Structure formats: structure tokens, C-alpha cells
Amino acid sequence: MKFRTRLGLFLIATLLLVQALTAIAVYGVTRHLQIEQGKRQLAAAADIFVQQLDALSVRVSDEVQVLALDFALRQAIAQHDRETALSALRNHGRRVGATRMLLVGLDGEVTADTQHPDGNDGQFPFSGLLEEAAEKDQGTALVVLDSRVYWMVVVPVKAPTPIAFIGAGVPVDNALLENLRHLSALPKSIALVAGGPAGSWTVVAHSGDHPPVIHLGALDSSGAGDPETTVEAGREFLTLSAPLVTADHSAPVVAVFDYPLDDALRQYWPLLWTMLAVLGIGLLAALSGAVLIARGMSRPIEALAAAARRIAGGDYSLAAPVRQGGELRELSNALASMTRSIGERQTALVASGDALVAARDQAER
């Protein structure tokens, strides 16, 4: 392989390596920035979601407290009129968006449940909410009841002292999550995951067409976790699991949010393509420059090599001087000086030989 070829290949390989490393570095920095931005957005989304649930709690609590002041309901409770109590609970439940309304005695026994109007209601499982309602006139928390997640609001019924409690369960289902998502800047995909036996987790509600990408086995017993990247169907997501406050004796509930990195990076593709185009143009210019540089460096060397071959063949004519400066000019001058010296010595030897021949011929005569 000629020197020119080796030099050109070396320059081209060096330029390709530098441009490839530049492209990788730009993509890596962009990806890192998007991941950090995604983490901040997911953390903000978790805070907003909790605030929305708190706002829902305040609204439902106010409306349920109005129900607790209903004279007909208090009279039905005093007379143990189950049917009238169920009717009042259903009517007010529809107004506040609660699909499950419960009437709970002071002993914690459920005396009326709109989900089980025929009886067999049992004990209210979240005694802590009853204690909170007795102390603060309301108790609120997420609960898992019959494999469904509710935002449960409990208020006391007073006449004038407490005679019972009303529990209003607003379902935190797909429809509610979708509504909350439209009301604020929440991610497209939100899921609620409820804990089960032996540390298992089940998706109980989600917004959008499909739940976020969730590796349920990666959740610990509390459901907490740092944002992590996951890949599903060739797409990359950043997911965050945020444990929600639930009532005592309730299964844990975790909100899971995702941030599609592919969609976030897609907005940078025009910039990346522009950079690749600029790199391509720069590569073409660099290739042209590399060829010219290689040719400019190899031609003088090839000329000097040809001159050395002529000298070896007995041709002591001076080669054309090298135009480049520096070491190549010095080498060319040294070769020219050597050529002149060899030529002069060769001329002297020839003249001396001719003189000896002439002297011998004269002596023979």
C-alpha cells in the first residue's frame, strides 16, 4: 500500500471516529437531559395528583356534611328505618359522585350499604376513619374495598350528639383518572396499583388506552421506587411509582406514572438530523482536504524517490527542486548536493581514467 493511500486512510478513519464520538456524545447528553426533565415532570405529576385527590376530598366532605344534617335521614336513623336511610344515601351519593354509601353505627357496624341493600353488611373495616371523623368531624383516605379503590369520606351524623357515621365512597376508577388528567398537566398514562397477598400487585384503574408500563415484580412492599427506564414493545419509558396514603387496615395503593422517552426525544430529531447533515458535509470537506494533503505530501516524496532511483542507475542530472518547505526542502537540497558531488567525482574519475589511458598509449608508442 502506497504512502499516499495509508495517509489518506488514516486521516479519513480519524475524522470518522471524531464525528462518530461527537454524534454519540450529543445524543447521550440530550438523552440524559430528557431523563432528568422526565424525572422532574413525574415528581410534579405525583404532587399534582395528590393535590387533586385532596381537593376532591374537600368537595365531597362538604357535600356529605350537608347530608349529615338532613332531617329525614336523622329521623330514619333514629327509627332504624333502613329503607329510608338507603334511599337518602343513594340520592345524595349520586350528587357527590359516590357509588357506594354506607351508614355506620357508633359501634362500627355497617347498618346500611348501597352496594348490599339486602343486609349482611358486617363491620366497617377502617376504624381509624371513624376515630378521625369523631375527633375532626371528618375522616378521609384512600381505601381498597371489595377489590376496588375508593376515596372514602366519613362524617358523623349528630342529633345533637353523634348517633352514626356516613361513609361516602367515590370510586377512583378509569373515568375519574381520565377526568383528573384532563383537568391538569398530568401524564397521558396513570395507573393505580393495589397490593395483594404475598406482596403481589394488581392494576385496578388506569387512564388512557392502556396502563403505564409497569413491572409489578419490581415494586417493594411499600410500592415506593425511584424513576427507572423500562422498554416495552420497542419503546422506552421512564416510570415512577408513588405510594398514596391509605386508611389503616387497607391494602396499599400506588400511583404509577410514565414518561415516554421516545416521544420526548422525537422533538430533537430535526436538530439531530441537521447535525448529522452538517457532520456529513464536514466529512466530505475533510475527505477532500485529506486527499489533497496526502497528495501534496506524497508527491515530493515520490519525486525524491524517483531521483534516488535515477542516481542508482547512473543518471546524475539534478531533479526539479521541491516546492514545499521544511524537512522535505532540506531533504531535496541534500539529495541535490549529493547528486552534484557524485557527478563531480564521477567526472573526475572519468577524466583521471582517460589521462591514464592516454599516458599508457603514449608509452607504448
Side-chain angles (χ1 to χ4, degrees):
M1 187 179 295
K2 293 184 178 181
F3 171 75
R4 180 191 305 179
T5 304
R6 292 199 301 270
L7 180 60
L9 290 178
F10 173 76
L11 292 175
I12 291 171
T14 302
L15 291 170
L16 286 175
L17 178 62
V18 170
Q19 292 195 351
L21 291 177
T22 301
I24 293 173
V26 170
Y27 177 79
V29 170
T30 303
R31 173 183 165 82
H32 175 74
L33 292 176
Q34 282 300 311
I35 290 177
E36 292 302 315
Q37 180 181 351
K39 290 180 179 179
R40 291 192 295 270
Q41 290 189 6
L42 290 179
D47 293 339
I48 292 173
F49 185 71
V50 172
Q51 292 172 10
Q52 287 180 320
L53 291 180
D54 290 340
L56 175 66
S57 169
V58 172
R59 179 180 64 83
V60 175
S61 297
D62 292 341
E63 296 180 355
V64 174
Q65 284 177 345
V66 173
L67 169 61
L69 299 176
D70 186 81
F71 176 77
L73 177 62
R74 288 186 292 177
Q75 187 177 30
I77 294 173
Q79 297 176 356
H80 303 287
D81 187 346
R82 180 187 177 88
E83 294 302 322
T84 301
L86 282 172
S87 177
L89 291 174
R90 289 193 189 96
N91 292 335
H92 283 273
R94 282 192 290 267
R95 295 195 189 102
V96 300
T99 60
R100 189 163 190 176
M101 299 289 291
L102 303 98
L103 184 63
V104 183
L106 297 179
D107 58 355
E109 187 75 20
V110 178
T111 58
D113 185 349
T114 56
Q115 288 288 334
H116 303 285
D118 296 331
N120 301 322
D121 302 309
Q123 194 78 12
F124 187 70
F126 313 111
S127 57
L129 287 179
L130 299 179
E131 296 173 0
E132 183 180 356
E135 294 177 4
K136 303 179 182 179
D137 284 340
Q138 69 173 31
T140 59
L142 277 175
V143 300
V144 179
L145 192 59
D146 296 339
S147 300
R148 297 189 65 182
V149 178
Y150 293 92
W151 187 260
M152 184 66 67
V153 177
V154 178
V155 299
V157 180
K158 298 180 180 179
T161 58
I163 58 174
F165 295 95
I166 296 174
V170 178
V172 185
D173 53 11
N174 296 0
L176 179 61
L177 291 182
E178 191 68 24
N179 184 46
L180 294 178
R181 189 180 71 81
H182 283 296
L183 291 176
S184 62
L186 290 175
K188 292 182 179 180
S189 296
I190 309 170
L192 288 186
V193 183
S200 62
W201 296 90
T202 305
V203 178
V204 292
H206 65 84
S207 67
D209 298 331
H210 58 83
V213 180
I214 308 171
H215 292 288
L216 299 179
L219 296 176
D220 59 19
S221 58
S222 67
D226 295 328
E228 60 179 11
T229 55
T230 55
V231 178
E232 185 74 16
R235 298 188 63 196
E236 192 172 18
F237 297 86
L238 185 68
T239 60
L240 171 67
S241 57
L244 302 176
V245 178
T246 57
D248 295 339
H249 309 298
S250 172
V253 179
V254 176
V256 181
F257 309 89
D258 72 13
Y259 179 84
L261 288 176
D262 294 342
D263 294 344
L265 289 173
R266 189 174 293 119
Q267 61 181 327
Y268 291 95
W269 279 117
L271 175 61
L272 293 176
W273 282 117
T274 301
M275 292 186 61
L276 288 176
V278 172
L279 290 176
I281 295 173
L283 179 60
L284 291 176
L287 289 177
S288 302
V291 171
L292 293 175
I293 292 173
R295 183 177 299 175
M297 292 183 65
S298 63
R299 279 182 176 179
I301 295 175
E302 292 173 354
L304 293 174
R309 287 193 296 270
R310 286 198 306 272
I311 293 171
D315 184 359
Y316 303 110
S317 59
L318 295 178
V322 174
R323 297 177 181 177
Q324 283 84 351
E327 291 82 357
L328 290 177
R329 173 65 62 84
E330 294 178 1
L331 178 60
S332 177
N333 294 336
L335 185 60
S337 177
M338 182 184 70
T339 303
R340 284 192 297 269
S341 298
I342 293 175
E344 291 174 355
R345 285 196 297 271
Q346 185 69 20
T347 301
L349 288 174
V350 170
S352 176
D354 291 342
L356 290 174
V357 171
R360 187 184 61 184
D361 289 343
Q362 186 175 5
E364 288 177 353
R365 291 194 189 97

